[in-house]
Amino acid sequence: MDWLYDDCIMVDEKLNDLEKKEKTLEIVYEYMQRKGIKFDAIMSYFDDMILMASYLANHFNLPSIPYEYAKKAKDQYVLRKMSVELGIPAPNFFYIESSERHSFLNKLKETKQSEFFSYKNQERFSYPIVVKESFGSGKSKLQ
């Protein structure tokens, strides 16, 4: 390997997903032109940028997992659903629409930790109960 380029590309977080992709592609093309290089690989050091790295690698026909698979792997609800369908053990889970999150959290707060908890005809759950956004990882947006 002759050169290793280890630069960070920053894109405005306020942009929507498509705008981020387009802006990032624009920045990458400008970077490649300025440095006079072509990439052999694209990777991310940060978990929340795996999708972008996959998207860019796919765009430039570089080795990577397909973007659609990366999206599925980052969505905890989809991943757990697939696990159950494939017979792989997964914790009990269910999906809460974002519009219902506030009422769900209120009901959860009213329930004593010694009681079972059920919501909208889902099976009964016992504490501890973890509530988090389905898209992400680790402790991001944990409640």
Side-chain angles (χ1 to χ4, degrees):
M1 174 178 10
D2 293 327
W3 294 96
L4 173 64
Y5 289 92
D6 185 11
D7 282 343
C8 184
I9 295 173
M10 301 299 289
V11 179
D12 187 349
E13 284 298 311
K14 294 176 188 139
L15 300 175
N16 68 39
D17 190 46
L18 180 61
E19 291 170 329
K20 281 182 191 172
K21 289 177 194 171
E22 291 171 351
K23 184 65 178 170
T24 303
L25 271 175
E26 181 183 316
I27 292 169
V28 169
Y29 275 119
E30 288 172 5
Y31 181 89
M32 289 168 49
Q33 189 173 34
R34 188 174 65 248
K35 297 278 189 179
I37 62 168
K38 247 178 99 176
F39 290 112
D40 296 318
I42 295 176
M43 61 177 275
S44 171
Y45 291 114
F46 305 105
D47 188 53
D48 57 345
M49 293 308 296
I50 288 172
L51 287 177
M52 185 60 74
S54 173
Y55 175 78
L56 291 170
N58 289 188
H59 179 82
F60 291 108
N61 294 316
L62 299 172
S64 177
I65 64 171
Y67 179 73
E68 290 305 314
Y69 291 172
K71 270 178 43 178
K72 287 180 182 178
K74 292 292 293 172
D75 187 323
Q76 297 299 305
Y77 178 72
V78 169
L79 196 59
R80 286 198 171 106
K81 214 167 124 180
M82 280 178 24
S83 295
V84 168
E85 290 167 3
L86 295 170
I88 300 169
N92 291 336
F93 66 96
F94 62 95
Y95 187 79
I96 304 165
E97 294 291 336
S98 58
S99 60
E100 299 173 351
R101 190 172 87 188
H102 185 70
S103 65
F104 173 82
L105 289 173
N106 283 339
K107 181 168 175 148
L108 185 60
K109 286 176 189 174
E110 294 167 4
T111 306
K112 294 179 183 152
Q113 289 194 11
S114 59
E115 299 175 350
F116 283 100
F117 179 80
S118 64
Y119 185 76
K120 291 202 166 192
N121 300 323
Q122 298 294 329
E123 72 178 83
R124 292 167 24 149
F125 290 85
S126 61
Y127 282 90
I129 296 172
V130 177
V131 179
K132 65 180 284 185
E133 302 236 352
S134 66
F135 209 81
S137 61
K139 294 189 283 183
S140 67
K141 300 183 182 177
L142 182 65
Q143 298 205 10

